[in-house]
């Protein structure tokens, strides 16, 4: 056992700090007790810091629980993304639940509001970073025509999805995908196990986020999460030039997933939205329209209007 962890680090370029290893780096234990381990609080603190920008959360402070993880009160997965436009105002839309990793996180406030003649979801993040999710079971090969819309008022120029310490976004749309975890590299599987050990939630096989960047990255650029290649950011809007108006997007989920992950997608297990401002400690607002996943058509390409 004395050589297991150093050998893993050499082979897989892992960076597991001493806060998780046993005293003297004598081995890596996943979910089992052993003598000489550092206190749980130290390991938990490291893991929470290490998961900082997971699923789009900023820096190294906080992370939402995976979109695919089912809470006891969660309704069964829907066959479509449940709409905002038919929900009652001032509350959360039916079928959408908050997600956050730690109870001490400052929550982003979400509520249905009237916007002209339709109802939309309003998000207000004040140095906060939590999201909403809708559990679904949708096959993207058949129903991978994604349509969504959003509006934001302010886009911080320092917001940068490629830098963990500046990883705020006024608007994100998140898709979680199922798949066979055993096909992943060892370092990714170990990371998944660590997350599950400390949070009780299993990460989705893959997470694709459509994001509004602060202006550093051009639309259609892709950046991986700094902790896991199974979490990828695809920039669809960048900078403040188009802030203040409704923007509408159409995406071929299969084409985007194939481009980002290099393989065809499994079933979509969750759809989420996230407005976060905890990295730069500001106040960001966004409005989200209905999100739909409909039948794919040949020749569908990405579009924005």
């Amino acid at each position: 056992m004395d050589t297991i962890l150093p050998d893993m680090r050499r082979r897989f370029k892992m960076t597991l700090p001493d806060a998780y290893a046993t005293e003297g780096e004598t081995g890596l234990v996943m979910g089992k007790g052993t003598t000489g381990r550092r206190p749980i609080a130290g390991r938990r603190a490291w893991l929470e810091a290490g998961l900082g920008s997971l699923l789009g959360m900023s820096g190294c402070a906080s992370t939402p629980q995976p979109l695919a993880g089912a809470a006891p009160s969660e309704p069964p997965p829907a066959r479509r993304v449940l709409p905002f436009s038919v929900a009652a105002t001032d509350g959360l839309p039916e079928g959408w639940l908050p997600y956050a990793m730690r109870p001490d996180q400052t929550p982003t406030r979400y509520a249905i509001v009237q916007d002209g003649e339709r109802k939309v979801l309003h998000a207000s993040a004040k140095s906060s970073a939590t999201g909403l999710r809708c559990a679904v079971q949708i096959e993207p090969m058949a129903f991978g025509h994604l349509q969504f819309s959003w509006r934001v008022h302010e886009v911080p120029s320092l917001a940068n999805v490629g830098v963990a310490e500046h990883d705020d976004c006024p608007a994100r749309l998140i898709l979680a995908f199922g798949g066979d975890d055993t096909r992943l590299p060892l370092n990714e599987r170990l990371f998944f196990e660590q997350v599950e050990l400390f949070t009780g939630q299993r990460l989705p096989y893959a997470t694709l986020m459509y994001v509004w960047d602060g202006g550093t990255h051009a639309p259609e650029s892709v950046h991986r999460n700094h902790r896991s290649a199974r979490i990828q950011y695809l920039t669809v809007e960048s900078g403040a030039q188009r802030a203040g108006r409704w923007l509408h997007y159409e995406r071929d989920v299969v084409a985007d997933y194939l481009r980002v992950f290099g393989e065809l997608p499994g079933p979509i297990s969750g759809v989420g939205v996230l407005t976060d401002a905890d990295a730069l400690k500001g106040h960001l607002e966004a409005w989200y329209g209905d999100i739909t996943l409909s039948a794919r058509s040949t020749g569908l390409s990405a579009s924005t209007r």
Side-chain angles (χ1 to χ4, degrees):
M1 290 291 289
D2 291 349
T3 60
I4 289 178
L5 186 56
D7 182 60
M8 283 183 176
R9 285 177 169 168
R10 287 193 298 269
R11 291 173 57 197
F12 298 101
K13 296 185 174 65
M14 297 174 64
T15 54
L16 299 176
D18 291 341
Y20 192 83
T22 59
E23 292 289 346
E25 238 179 33
T26 56
L28 178 63
V29 179
M30 301 300 296
K32 297 182 180 180
T34 184
T35 59
R37 296 178 72 183
R38 292 179 185 270
I40 281 287
R43 298 194 307 278
R44 190 185 305 274
W46 165 75
L47 184 64
E48 289 177 351
L51 297 179
S53 62
L54 198 58
L55 296 189
M57 291 309 181
S58 66
C60 27
S62 55
T63 236
Q65 57 191 357
L67 294 172
S73 60
E74 184 171 310
R79 295 296 176 181
R80 65 188 180 109
V81 186
L82 299 176
F84 306 135
S85 57
V86 297
T89 56
D90 299 327
L92 295 180
E94 181 181 358
W96 289 78
L97 296 177
Y99 61 94
M101 181 177 177
R102 299 197 324 257
D104 62 333
Q105 276 186 309
T106 302
T108 296
R109 299 186 64 179
Y110 295 91
I112 297 296
V113 299
Q114 195 74 33
D115 185 78
E117 297 182 354
R118 65 171 178 163
K119 295 175 183 176
V120 300
L121 179 70
H122 174 238
S124 176
K126 295 182 179 180
S127 302
S128 60
T130 58
L132 285 186
R133 60 171 178 163
C134 177
V136 299
Q137 185 69 24
I138 298 173
E139 294 294 337
M141 299 300 293
F143 300 100
H145 179 196
L146 173 65
Q147 293 178 281
F148 64 97
S149 60
W150 58 31
R151 184 184 81 211
V152 307
H153 276 179
E154 183 180 355
V155 182
S157 60
L158 292 178
N160 185 338
V161 294
V163 177
E165 293 78 10
H166 293 174
D167 186 17
D168 281 348
C169 282
R172 308 181 193 233
L173 186 141
I174 306 171
L175 300 181
F177 297 84
D180 183 3
D181 293 357
T182 64
R183 298 175 54 239
L184 298 177
L186 178 58
N187 60 328
E188 293 284 4
R189 284 185 277 130
L190 288 175
F191 184 65
F192 276 39
E193 293 293 339
Q194 292 163 357
V195 173
E196 187 172 22
L197 174 64
F198 283 94
T199 70
Q201 301 288 337
R202 188 72 177 173
L203 288 179
Y205 174 77
T207 301
L208 175 60
M209 280 187 273
Y210 297 96
V211 303
W212 190 320
D213 186 63
T216 303
H217 307 294
E220 300 303 319
S221 61
V222 176
H223 295 81
R224 58 158 283 175
N225 176 273
H226 75 292
R227 290 286 175 179
S228 174
R230 304 309 302 169
I231 303 164
Q232 297 278 345
Y233 310 136
L234 199 166
T235 298
V236 295
E237 202 67 43
S238 188
Q241 294 86 349
R242 305 211 301 163
R245 53 176 158 156
W246 279 100
L247 302 176
H248 302 265
Y249 304 84
E250 293 187 66
R251 307 292 307 194
D252 183 340
V253 172
V254 175
D256 286 342
Y257 189 99
L258 183 61
R259 174 191 163 203
V260 170
F261 292 103
E263 61 183 2
L264 292 175
I268 299 173
S269 57
V271 176
V273 296
L274 171 63
T275 295
D276 59 308
D278 65 330
L280 300 174
K281 306 302 179 186
H283 180 201
L284 296 177
E285 289 184 281
W287 290 257
Y288 296 90
D290 286 345
I291 302 163
T292 62
L293 283 160
S294 56
R296 296 177 67 219
S297 59
T298 57
L300 175 66
S301 60
S303 67
T304 307
R305 66 183 189 278

